[in-house]
Amino acid sequence: MAAEADVIVVGGGVIGLTTAVTLAERGLRVRVLSRDAAGATTSAVAGALWWPYRIEPAERVGAWSLKTLAVYEELAASPGETGVRLVPGLHGGERFAALGPWAAELRGAVEVAEGLRVVLPLLDMPVHLAWLERRLVAAGGVVERRAVGRLAEAAERSPVVVNCTGLGARELVPDPGMRAVRGQLVLVENPGIEEWFTEADPASEATTYFFPQPGRLVLGGTARVDDERPEPDAAVAREIVARCARVRPEIADARVLGHRVGLRPVREGGVRIEAGALPDGGRLVHNYGHGGAGVTVAWGCARAAAALVG
């Protein structure tokens, strides 16, 4: 039986779709298998500010991040279509000395008393994921809503399988090094805030951030390891609003529009991008374990994985 595709990508979040687009635009017949619609993936919940956050290995993350930054800077020319905007903001308490060599490439970043001021890509993820799907289809790719119980299932339909399943890799590979880090967000009406803000509390699992998105202000956040509850926690939501309001008091009275929960796919040892063989002799390429920075490294990791596809 003839193969249905040159490559099957398993997983339809930002990593899977970006990898699929990269492969399809190189002339390969690509099919994405995803249990969930893009808007129902963890990627859709993301804030989503470009910044290497909760991701390893440090020696590779910088290059992946900067390659991705360059793409987003181009996509920001059409924000309504791509969901990518360049927005100024402040990383509270951040210092260049605490960051990797990649930080020297940030154009216009400046240290101030409060932290690091910089203009960065901020992505409206539902819009961006829909745009990625359209770009994939335009390149001849196909997205199929289908759960994959074994990678061998995909291998029956293509000689190359790319595993972009995020937390799903824990069972699918299986990879016991995968751990869920729960993030919770609150969406409120924007009381007029135009700049983003982040500040990490190294003594707790909490971070404080707010991101102005079209039609809403996204408040966060949490980073609770091995907490896989899918439903929002009301007490946590109140804490998030209170922390953000300490920075911008007008947030306290903003009308709540909704709540979101996502499980970051963190992997012991960091991102896994490597090639191997499937039992039937097919080629398997892994691209998963991006923690809290899948959006930040998506294009750099897609190109690294595509190079292993051949």
Side-chain angles (χ1 to χ4, degrees):
M1 184 179 74
E4 294 179 38
D6 298 321
V7 184
I8 282 183
V9 176
V10 184
V14 69
I15 296 296
L17 289 175
T18 305
T19 302
V21 166
T22 300
L23 292 165
E25 292 183 348
R26 295 184 179 187
L28 295 170
R29 295 179 303 141
V30 180
R31 180 175 290 262
V32 174
L33 305 183
S34 179
R35 179 191 64 190
D36 302 314
T41 63
T42 296
S43 297
V45 178
L49 182 74
W50 179 95
W51 192 257
Y53 171 73
R54 296 187 79 94
I55 182 169
E56 299 286 343
E59 64 271 15
R60 300 188 70 187
V61 165
W64 292 334
S65 299
L66 292 173
K67 288 176 183 175
T68 306
L69 175 63
V71 175
Y72 290 153
E73 287 175 339
E74 293 179 6
L75 297 181
S78 305
E81 180 184 1
T82 66
V84 183
R85 294 172 297 129
L86 294 176
V87 181
L90 174 73
H91 278 301
E94 195 64 86
R95 289 288 178 261
F96 277 120
L99 302 173
W102 57 269
E105 304 297 320
L106 296 177
R107 291 192 296 273
V110 59
E111 278 190 13
V112 295
E114 298 80 15
L116 188 67
R117 287 200 59 84
V118 59
V119 176
L120 294 176
L122 183 61
L123 282 67
D124 184 345
M125 287 309 293
V127 172
H128 185 65
L129 292 167
W131 173 81
L132 281 171
E133 282 201 348
R134 292 195 304 273
R135 181 165 166 174
L136 174 61
V137 171
V142 176
V143 178
E144 179 182 334
R145 297 283 167 254
R146 175 175 172 176
V148 175
R150 297 177 304 116
L151 291 172
E153 289 176 30
E156 293 169 359
R157 304 170 62 183
S158 171
V160 181
V161 176
V162 183
N163 169 29
C164 299
T165 54
L167 193 59
R170 183 171 53 186
E171 286 77 31
L172 201 60
V173 172
D175 186 339
M178 291 298 300
R179 303 180 73 181
V181 177
R182 184 179 185 274
Q184 182 168 327
L185 309 175
V186 182
L187 311 183
V188 301
E189 282 188 347
N190 191 339
I193 293 170
E194 296 181 351
E195 296 194 354
W196 54 265
F197 173 87
T198 75
E199 188 166 42
D201 179 358
S204 77
E205 297 174 323
T207 53
T208 300
Y209 59 79
F210 44 83
F211 301 142
Q213 295 283 12
R216 64 199 186 280
L217 186 66
V218 178
L219 313 180
T222 63
R224 298 192 173 185
V225 180
D226 297 331
D227 180 350
E228 300 192 25
R229 293 172 298 148
E231 68 284 342
D233 182 310
V236 170
R238 288 192 294 271
E239 292 167 4
I240 289 171
V241 173
R243 287 201 307 272
C244 292
R246 284 197 283 273
V247 182
R248 292 293 295 262
E250 61 267 46
I251 290 174
D253 299 320
R255 185 168 70 91
V256 174
L257 302 175
H259 302 269
R260 299 287 185 271
V261 172
L263 302 179
R264 301 178 183 94
V266 173
R267 180 175 180 268
E268 294 175 14
V271 178
R272 185 182 187 188
I273 299 181
E274 63 183 55
L278 288 159
D280 67 348
R283 188 165 182 79
L284 173 63
V285 176
H286 293 293
N287 183 10
Y288 68 89
H290 301 84
V295 169
T296 299
V297 298
W299 290 93
C301 288
R303 291 170 183 172
L308 296 179
V309 168

